[in-house]
Amino acid sequence: MRFLKKKIWFALFAAIVVINILAWNSTAFCDWHIRFIFPVSINTYGRLMSVFPISVGEWMIAFGLLLLLEAVLLAAVRIFVRREWLKRVCKGFYTAFAWILLAVFWIMTCNCFLLYHASPIDEKYMPEKTERGYTDKELALVRDHIVEKLNELTVEMERDDAGYLVYNDEITAGAITAMQELGKEYDQLSGYYPRAKTIHSSDFLSQEHMMGYYFPFSMEANYNKRMYIVNKPATICHELAHLKGFIYEDEANFIGFLACINSDDIFFQYSGYMSVLNYVENEFRDSINHKASRYFEHPEIAKSVYSDDLFLTAEAWEKVEEKAVIQTATVKKASNQFTEATLKINGVEDGMKSYSRVVTLLLKYYDGILY
């Protein structure tokens, strides 16, 4: 029986290795997986996880870390204690540990790794624009349009006495509605969405300067409850995009933007335009070599828009820093290194710089609209 279990384990391990190799060499296979297999995961496993009000993925990570620590400690004890009972305990533990690792490898492959090798969104939905190049003039038109929309919307926003934005409707439900509406045009986005969940350890997430996470092993979209409210609609839509197979961050940024600006809710529209402002603004400033004379030939960003361009409010940052166990700079550096490594391992050669590729998608989207 033990020999049979080992053979099954190695057979399953070999199978998932072959699937990963196939994914790296076949875009068609990954596209097929996203179309036919991945939706089954979100409609079954994702629905099951949505029953829980808390982020299951967050607690899975905590459990995984504890399990890893236990594995290390047990190995250390085994070096010094040679009792037969401990040998049996270790054997049972590491057998279970091996099966858990295999399960994680399978889930991460199916719900994450394969997605990195599928056809990009512009090839799927804007094939006629994939080979087109864009000029600094067109970049300026996109930048000016986004700034003008933000300047129009900012005066319509509700604010408290401190000048901070106020939004009283249910954001997570609104995000699902926005995504399902977008799904009428982009069919991969249609269908069921679980409710996005807040991260319990949002203070630590804030130290990482992260707005949200997609947990492939729990099929959950999670977001930072501490961040400034203007970020929440676009972030939730971004994380929900991952649940539909769009794993690249620039594509999720683009989808979050589209879902929000096409919403009937003006607060969602404001969040959508705000979510890409810095990406476009940075590219635009680079294109004019940061020359002030050329910059001020274009629409100026309203002061209230600048004021709303926050990750966390000053008060929220103060509370985060009060509770911090590790310095924020250290946490952020470690988080960036981990994210950079993860992206590159999955074939994203430019790592975190890939987030800013949303500008290219915006240029393609506005082709035929602004120019």
Side-chain angles (χ1 to χ4, degrees):
M1 182 62 72
R2 290 176 183 174
F3 179 70
L4 179 61
K5 287 181 179 179
K6 284 184 179 180
K7 287 183 70 175
I8 293 172
W9 191 96
F10 280 107
L12 290 171
F13 178 75
I16 202 62
V17 169
V18 170
I19 288 172
N20 274 275
I21 293 171
L22 181 59
W24 276 82
N25 292 278
S26 175
T27 299
F29 170 70
C30 296
D31 288 345
W32 175 85
H33 171 78
I34 289 173
R35 184 177 179 184
F36 295 106
I37 306 301
F38 191 69
V40 175
S41 183
I42 185 64
N43 280 289
T44 54
Y45 187 51
R47 282 182 186 271
L48 175 63
M49 293 296 103
S50 69
V51 171
F52 300 94
I54 61 171
S55 171
V56 179
E58 183 179 13
W59 290 102
M60 282 182 172
I61 290 175
F63 174 75
L65 292 173
L66 288 173
L67 200 64
L68 186 61
L69 177 62
E70 185 177 354
V72 173
L73 292 175
L74 199 57
V77 171
R78 183 75 180 94
I79 294 172
F80 300 102
V81 180
R82 295 292 180 175
R83 300 292 179 86
E84 186 62 29
W85 66 267
L86 184 59
K87 181 180 178 180
R88 290 195 299 271
V89 168
C90 288
K91 189 171 184 178
F93 175 84
Y94 288 114
T95 297
F97 190 75
W99 281 101
I100 290 171
L101 283 180
L102 181 63
V104 170
F105 191 19
W106 266 92
I107 292 171
M108 288 296 292
T109 294
C110 295
N111 294 346
C112 183
F113 300 155
L114 296 187
L115 312 185
Y116 277 103
H117 307 290
S119 298
I121 191 172
D122 52 346
E123 288 186 11
K124 290 179 180 177
Y125 295 106
M126 298 180 281
E128 73 284 359
K129 302 174 185 177
T130 54
E131 301 300 324
R132 164 111 192 248
Y134 294 91
T135 66
D136 291 345
K137 180 180 179 181
E138 289 157 334
L139 173 62
L141 287 170
V142 172
R143 178 266 177 196
D144 291 352
H145 172 73
I146 288 169
V147 169
E148 287 169 352
K149 294 299 292 185
L150 284 168
N151 289 348
E152 291 173 10
L153 289 166
T154 190
V155 297
E156 299 185 53
M157 296 296 104
E158 183 180 350
R159 300 177 186 275
D160 62 18
D161 294 339
Y164 291 134
L165 292 167
V166 174
Y167 185 75
N168 296 315
D169 291 339
E170 226 292 315
I171 293 179
T172 53
I176 290 174
T177 298
M179 291 294 287
Q180 289 175 333
E181 284 297 312
L182 190 61
K184 295 177 181 178
E185 183 176 356
Y186 298 83
D187 60 333
Q188 191 173 319
L189 296 171
S190 62
Y192 168 75
Y193 286 90
R195 291 176 64 82
K197 301 176 183 179
T198 58
I199 295 283
H200 176 72
S201 52
S202 285
D203 290 341
F204 186 71
L205 198 66
S206 297
Q207 289 187 280
E208 297 179 81
H209 286 252
M210 295 297 292
M211 294 184 178
Y213 269 116
Y214 157 60
F215 289 139
F217 38 83
S218 63
M219 291 300 285
E220 291 175 305
N222 298 263
Y223 65 97
N224 185 338
K225 64 184 178 183
R226 295 282 183 241
M227 65 183 172
Y228 190 39
I229 195 168
V230 74
N231 301 307
K232 292 181 180 179
T235 297
I236 294 171
C237 290
H238 171 118
E239 300 306 330
L240 290 175
H242 291 320
L243 289 172
K244 291 298 181 178
F246 292 100
I247 199 65
Y248 284 105
E249 297 300 337
D250 57 317
E251 295 184 354
N253 281 341
F254 178 61
I255 291 167
F257 165 80
L258 286 184
C260 285
I261 69 165
N262 287 298
S263 170
D264 294 331
D265 190 318
I266 61 171
F267 187 80
F268 270 67
Q269 294 172 26
Y270 192 55
S271 176
Y273 288 113
M274 188 70 78
S275 71
V276 298
L277 175 63
N278 288 323
Y279 294 118
V280 175
E281 183 75 355
N282 290 339
E283 292 283 345
F284 171 66
R285 286 177 180 269
D286 287 343
S287 73
I288 60 172
N289 297 315
H290 298 267
K291 291 182 179 178
S293 57
R294 292 185 61 188
Y295 182 80
F296 288 110
E297 292 174 359
H298 295 266
E300 186 176 354
I301 298 173
K303 290 182 179 179
S304 56
V305 173
Y306 268 123
S307 299
D308 290 332
D309 188 17
L310 299 173
F311 173 42
L312 266 68
T313 65
E315 292 82 359
W317 266 124
E318 186 176 344
K319 291 178 181 178
V320 168
E321 295 296 350
E322 283 177 1
K323 298 177 182 177
V325 177
I326 306 172
Q327 289 188 342
T328 296
T330 303
V331 174
K332 183 182 178 182
K333 183 179 179 180
S335 174
N336 287 347
Q337 289 174 341
F338 175 77
T339 302
E340 186 83 8
T342 301
L343 289 170
K344 289 185 175 180
I345 287 171
N346 283 288
V348 184
E349 295 180 359
D350 53 352
M352 290 183 68
K353 290 182 180 178
S354 63
Y355 283 69
S356 63
R357 287 206 302 262
V358 67
V359 177
T360 302
L361 293 173
L362 291 172
L363 286 166
K364 293 178 180 180
Y365 172 74
Y366 280 114
D367 187 350
I369 299 176
L370 298 179
Y371 39 82

